[in-house]
Amino acid sequence: MERPAAPAAREAAEIRLTITSPEQMRELGRRLAKLLRAGDLVMLSGELGAGKTTMTRGLGEGLGVRGAVTSPTFVIARVHPSLGDGPPLVHVDAYRLAGGLDEMEDLDLDVSLPESVIVVEWGEGKVEELTEDRLQIVIHRAVGTAPAGDGTEPAETDEVRHVVLTGLGERWADAPLETLTG
């Protein structure tokens, strides 16, 4: 008797965007919030000043949570309760944490995950074990100048960011990430 073929692994859903201002980064966060639900883990990567907290601020606005979303670098994590019927936002900055999930256990993210949206800055190698279903966002800062696009002088790229959003797991397999491009 032949074994049935294993189902093909789904490819990760991925989109790439170019963001040209902090307001556009914040707006991307607001649009992304419409796709998020309780139980979602979002991992943000990028160098210092790339826009991770700016995007998270937009997520907080889009989710309708209480409190100003600021970098939790020194407190490690902040919980922003929903002002409506949506999930709370748990914003974690793992920059100062050297260990993996073991060091993160004190934050009880595994307990918070089912009813919250958890956003972890600098979470690579630290929180992947929480769930196979996650949205990984990498923000790259552009360097130098970029074409203006209208035939005029090139624009400085201090504000330009290249953002790659990759949805992993069943949760993100059919998520409409393409709606973020418009």
Side-chain angles (χ1 to χ4, degrees):
M1 178 179 228
E2 279 188 45
R3 255 190 174 148
R10 290 190 179 200
E11 289 187 28
E14 181 178 287
I15 63 164
R16 295 172 179 268
L17 304 168
T18 298
I19 303 295
T20 60
S21 70
E23 182 49 41
Q24 282 187 356
M25 186 68 77
R26 201 165 171 167
E27 178 58 27
L28 175 58
R30 286 190 286 264
R31 289 194 324 259
L32 177 57
K34 294 175 184 173
L35 301 179
L36 297 176
R37 61 184 186 216
D40 283 343
L41 173 64
V42 178
M43 292 175 48
L44 289 171
S45 304
E47 61 194 44
L48 289 170
K52 297 178 296 296
T53 300
T54 300
M55 179 183 285
T56 306
R57 194 169 291 125
L59 284 171
E61 291 168 5
L63 289 170
V65 299
R66 186 177 72 217
V69 175
T70 59
S71 178
T73 300
F74 296 102
V75 296
I76 311 298
R78 282 197 173 96
V79 177
H80 297 275
S82 175
L83 292 171
D85 58 357
L89 171 66
V90 178
H91 184 197
V92 179
D93 186 332
Y95 183 75
R96 295 178 174 275
L97 303 177
L101 191 58
D102 292 340
E103 193 171 352
M104 300 287 287
E105 278 187 6
D106 289 341
L107 300 176
D108 287 333
L109 296 180
D110 54 334
V111 173
S112 300
L113 185 59
E115 70 270 354
S116 305
V117 169
I118 297 181
V119 175
V120 182
E121 297 183 28
W122 306 97
E124 311 77 31
K126 298 174 184 157
V127 296
E128 290 90 340
E129 295 175 29
L130 284 173
T131 178
E132 292 179 11
D133 296 313
R134 61 188 175 275
L135 182 62
Q136 292 184 178
I137 302 174
V138 180
I139 305 170
H140 300 282
R141 292 175 74 170
V143 178
T145 59
D150 61 3
T152 62
E153 292 295 312
E156 291 295 323
T157 58
D158 290 345
E159 301 295 329
V160 175
R161 305 293 190 260
H162 299 287
V163 181
V164 180
L165 296 96
T166 306
L168 301 169
E170 286 296 316
R171 158 69 176 102
W172 293 100
D174 297 319
L177 291 177
E178 68 280 354
T179 62
L180 301 174
T181 61

